[in-house]
Structure formats: C-alpha cells, structure tokens
Amino acid sequence: MKKKIVTLSLAAVLAAVPVSSAFASTSENPLLVNQQTSITSTSLTAEQQDQLTENLNALSIIDKYVTLNDDNFYEIDEEVLNYVSQEVFDSYSRGMALTNEALADNLVKIENGQLVSNMPAVVKSFKNDQGTIQPFASAESYWWGFNFKLSNQESKTLAYNIKTQANWATAIFALTGILQPPAAIIAVITNFGANAFINTLEYNTNSLGVNIDVSYIGTVSMYPRAT
C-alpha cells in the first residue's frame, strides 16, 4: 500500500484539529513555530533503530519493574539491570522521564492505575477525496513530528506486549526513550489509546513491517512499510 501525502496549509491543518489548552500559545509550543525556521521530520538512525529493537524485546521484562511512587510518578527499579543492558535501562528511563514530565504538566494523568490522556479527543487521522492526509503540513517551513519504522517482528512484539502487559505506559517509554520528543508527544500517543494502537498496528503491518508517524498536531498514523 502506497503512502499518500496531501500537502495542506498550516492554517488549514490547525483549523481541522482541536487543540487543547495544553498546546496553548507559548514560546515552547511546537505548533506555533517560527515559519522562517526549517523544522523537518525526525526518523531513527541505524543506531537508534537497533536500540528500539532491544527496547521492544525487553518490554515485558521492564514492565515488571515499573511502579508508581507516592507522588504518582513512574519509577523503574534498578534491579532490572540484572536482566537488561544499561543502554536499554537508560533508554526506558528517558521515556519514563518524559512521561513524568507530561504528568507534571497535566498533559496526561493516572486513572485506575493506568496512563490516560488529559487532552480532549483529537482527530487521529483525516481524509479528503484525494486520500489519507498524513500528519504533514506546509507553510514556509515543513514539519510534522516523529517517525518510527518497525520490522514485522518488532511490530508483532510490540502488539503482543501491549496486549499482555498491564502497563500501557511502559510501551510508550520504549518508543519515546529513543528520540526524546517533547512531552506533549506523550499525550498524543496516550490519547490514541492502547486498544486502538494495537488494532491499527496489526492492521497496517505487512511482511516488511510498519511505519508509525506521531505528529505535533495530535495524530498517530500507521501505514505498511514499502522498503
């Protein structure tokens, strides 16, 4: 299946997607970038891709050592270093720190022991008569967010672990610890929801794997890999 990209004006995209108060106008708001500054999509390097593979393979192990402390922030017990590498531990710790930052900023919250988004419902994908509009926009600068490429086996591992583990947040640590995006991206992924994430992931995975795009405008798009 060929990925279709429809270029929109920045104003049109922002008008189409509800923006929560979490994305209010501030100098740190990724939505309100200086249009004279070139901001491009970020993809994994070969080294980061290897780290992602390690992270996904370790997800079920790490999950057993993730807890909430008395302040309702996530912690990872260092005892897990007996079972995973320092690199995996450090990567998960970065993803956890971003999630804790999102909690502190009230972008996400803990509800019944689970991580949930504090954002209003957003458009997860949108279409017009030309096909699916990916999370991409053009103005004087071009930007959208972050891209993860998963192999077929990585996709299956991620889907299986999200299904069988109690902690959806741990899977988010696994992804975001690699690229260390703004904490607002945590809210976007969380808002998609674990069940919808699994279903969309499995539906779009082909023999080569799947691409996952997470955008600043509040969308998560998945599509089969072509290479």
Side-chain angles (χ1 to χ4, degrees):
M1 183 184 297
K2 186 177 180 181
K3 178 185 177 184
K4 297 180 181 179
I5 297 178
V6 180
T7 304
L8 303 175
S9 70
L10 182 60
V13 173
L14 297 184
V17 181
V19 180
S20 75
S21 58
F23 293 97
S25 178
T26 70
S27 60
E28 297 180 353
N29 186 349
L31 294 177
L32 301 177
V33 297
N34 183 334
Q35 292 187 8
Q36 299 303 319
T37 303
S38 177
I39 298 181
T40 57
S41 61
T42 303
S43 296
L44 299 183
T45 64
E47 183 178 356
Q48 289 171 323
Q49 189 67 51
D50 289 342
Q51 186 62 62
L52 178 59
T53 301
E54 280 195 68
N55 281 7
L56 297 181
N57 288 336
L59 200 155
S60 60
I61 299 172
I62 292 282
D63 190 66
K64 297 181 178 68
Y65 293 87
V66 173
T67 58
L68 287 170
N69 62 24
D70 292 340
D71 295 320
N72 231 25
F73 290 109
Y74 289 104
E75 291 183 346
I76 302 178
D77 191 332
E78 291 189 2
E79 186 181 344
V80 76
L81 283 167
N82 292 319
Y83 308 101
V84 301
S85 69
Q86 184 70 51
E87 290 76 16
V88 167
F89 180 83
D90 290 345
S91 183
Y92 271 91
S93 295
R94 290 192 297 269
M96 183 188 67
L98 283 166
T99 303
N100 285 338
E101 182 182 339
L103 283 165
D105 290 342
N106 204 35
L107 300 175
V108 293
K109 61 185 176 182
I110 306 296
E111 194 171 86
N112 298 321
Q114 292 292 319
L115 183 70
V116 297
S117 179
N118 222 16
M119 295 168 58
V122 298
V123 177
K124 296 186 179 76
S125 64
F126 36 101
K127 298 183 178 181
N128 65 11
D129 56 5
Q130 299 178 62
T132 300
I133 301 171
Q134 299 294 334
F136 188 93
S138 69
E140 292 180 34
S141 57
Y142 294 83
W143 59 274
W144 56 262
F146 294 83
N147 168 259
F148 300 92
K149 287 182 172 65
L150 273 60
S151 68
N152 179 277
Q153 186 57 54
E154 288 166 344
S155 177
K156 289 179 179 178
T157 298
L158 179 57
Y160 175 79
N161 281 318
I162 297 174
K163 283 180 182 178
T164 58
Q165 304 304 315
N167 199 347
W168 163 226
T170 310
I172 296 176
F173 302 164
L175 290 173
T176 57
I178 305 294
L179 284 173
Q180 303 178 67
I185 292 294
I186 300 291
V188 174
I189 299 174
T190 305
N191 199 40
F192 199 81
N195 289 335
F197 191 96
I198 293 167
N199 291 338
T200 309
L201 183 71
E202 291 183 328
Y203 180 80
N204 285 286
T205 298
N206 64 10
S207 60
L208 296 176
V210 67
N211 283 278
I212 304 173
D213 292 345
V214 184
S215 80
Y216 294 126
I217 61 172
T219 65
V220 177
S221 292
M222 301 186 207
Y223 49 96
R225 287 184 61 172
T227 58

